[in-house]
Amino acid sequence: MSTDVPVSGEAPLPMSLGARLRVLGAELAFPVGLFFFSRLALLLLARVSLAFDNRLHRAPFQQVGPAGLDAFCRWDCGWYMEIAQKGYERPQATNFFPLLPMLGRWVRDATGLSIQVSLVLVANVAGLLGLIVLYRLFRALEGEETARVSLLLFTAYPFAFFQSAGYPESWMVFLTALALLLSLRGRHWWAALALGFGGLARHLSLAAGLSLLFQQVRSRGGGLRAWFHRDMLALAIPLVMTSLYFVFLWRKFGDPQIWWKVRGGEWAGAWAGLLTWWKGDWAPEVSLYVALSFVPGVGALLLLARRRWWALAAFGVPLMLVLWTVGLVGLGRYSAAVWPAFLPLGAWLGRHPALRGPVVLGFALFQGMLVFLFVHAYPIN
């Protein structure tokens, strides 16, 4: 019997260091193993595909030497490269938030690695931490078996490879999941701090503030008094931290809303965008983004089915609605960051073991196809 479980009303005995390390090792084994297996598979696929044909679909991308981590720095990763190397010199760069390029630059300066490799490494560090946190969070809510299936689904989801590329999605997943885990444990100020860094990675992370608010009110039994607790002040931390970026934009460009003006003209909702595509003005891959987005979309709605999932639903449902409204062009990678949706999907798949293998394998093979296109610089977002 575990020494940290009370027996006959007695206080739990302290665990020895060796016992704690064994427990920690058991907790880390699955998410860490899944991370390294999935990342090695993606890297092998990139190397083999570019070894057979090193031509890239579009300029200005070019392959220099054997394919490696730099093969996962395509498309918007180029913007993060520019910001890491030169700072925010062009207004068009302001649409890309500063956490990823800042960390990538620090890694480059400390190691001498190329900026492409540094950005991909930074993204994968967050990917590893994110799987660890998600496993703990899912296991706390639904048990070990469901946590494993949910994590497998999340990792195999066709657009989940963006958690391995030079994009900030992995930081958004890690920091929002960490914020919710801390909030569920009653550590509201630390949760708000984690979410503040998430806002500096991607502004959509701030939608998780709805979960932090919900959890604070629920933990105090609801009612008017719950809204006036001093811990409610913590919810201002993510807004203040993210606003520092807008203060920088005001000082640099004289306009704190310049990022919105730059990006606003390019946003389109899924439905309006599909209509445009039907008329022949959008590339065919756009319909794929929308079709696959219904996987996390359904999962987000299923979060409403159980009360213990409602804290996650307060983040997952609004985020999915926002993405369907304004996120068509990047809906593939955006939908892969809606991690709460994979808990109810994993719970459902866990009750149908005959489907588990085919679904996960089918997702993984589809992801491999998209990775092949992405590393060859096809327009996959």
Side-chain angles (χ1 to χ4, degrees), residues 179-193:
L180 264 70
L181 179 62
L182 291 170
S183 182
L184 290 171
R185 293 178 174 178
R187 304 176 70 178
H188 302 299
W189 289 85
W190 286 108
L193 182 63

Side-chain angles (χ1 to χ4, degrees), residues 127-377:
L128 172 59
L129 297 175
L131 289 183
I132 293 172
V133 173
L134 286 178
Y135 183 63
R136 286 193 170 190
L137 180 56
F138 289 167
R139 192 178 63 172
L141 290 171
E142 286 297 321
E144 184 172 352
E145 182 65 19
T146 296
R148 291 191 174 195
V149 178
S150 301
L151 215 61
L152 279 171
L153 271 179
F154 173 73
T155 305
Y157 178 67
F159 284 99
F161 73 88
F162 277 104
Q163 312 293 325
S164 309
Y167 283 70
E169 268 65 26
S170 58
W171 282 96
M172 177 181 175
V173 169
F174 163 53
L175 292 166
T176 53
L178 179 61
L180 264 70
L181 179 62
L182 291 170
S183 182
L184 290 171
R185 293 178 174 178
R187 304 176 70 178
H188 302 299
W189 289 85
W190 286 108
L193 182 63
L195 187 56
F197 284 106
L200 293 173
R202 287 212 63 206
H203 60 291
L204 289 176
S205 300
L206 296 179
L210 296 172
S211 290
L212 303 192
L213 172 62
F214 175 85
Q215 181 58 25
Q216 284 213 41
V217 173
R218 182 174 67 171
S219 66
R220 302 185 191 103
L224 186 61
R225 294 184 61 183
W227 291 83
F228 291 94
H229 193 278
R230 63 180 180 274
D231 285 352
M232 283 289 183
L233 296 174
L235 297 175
I237 293 177
L239 299 176
V240 171
M241 291 179 64
T242 306
S243 69
L244 295 177
Y245 176 58
F246 305 125
V247 171
F248 164 77
L249 296 182
W250 171 66
R251 292 178 60 88
K252 176 74 175 180
F253 298 99
D255 185 357
Q257 295 182 329
I258 190 170
W259 72 280
W260 178 268
K261 296 174 182 177
V262 166
R263 183 62 174 173
E266 301 178 8
W267 283 359
W271 317 120
L274 272 183
L275 181 60
T276 305
W277 167 76
W278 186 261
K279 295 177 180 178
D281 296 331
W282 279 108
E285 65 270 9
V286 170
S287 59
L288 176 63
Y289 304 161
V290 178
L292 281 176
S293 74
F294 280 93
V295 174
V298 169
L301 292 177
L302 290 175
L303 287 167
L304 300 171
R306 300 183 185 179
R307 290 180 64 89
R308 60 179 175 271
W309 294 347
W310 284 0
L312 276 63
F315 172 42
V317 173
L319 178 60
M320 203 66 235
L321 292 175
V322 168
L323 295 179
W324 274 333
T325 303
V326 300
L328 178 70
V329 174
L331 190 58
R333 72 175 190 269
Y334 295 160
S335 62
V338 188
W339 58 264
F342 292 89
L343 179 59
L345 294 176
W348 179 85
L349 194 60
R351 296 192 297 270
H352 300 81
L355 297 176
R356 191 179 308 173
V359 170
V360 172
L361 180 60
F363 272 13
L365 291 174
F366 201 166
Q367 182 181 144
M369 181 195 75
L370 294 176
V371 170
F372 174 87
L373 296 173
F374 179 77
V375 300
H376 281 271

Side-chain angles (χ1 to χ4, degrees), residues 1-13:
M1 182 176 293
S2 175
T3 57
D4 62 343
V5 178
V7 180
S8 301
E10 297 179 359
L13 298 174

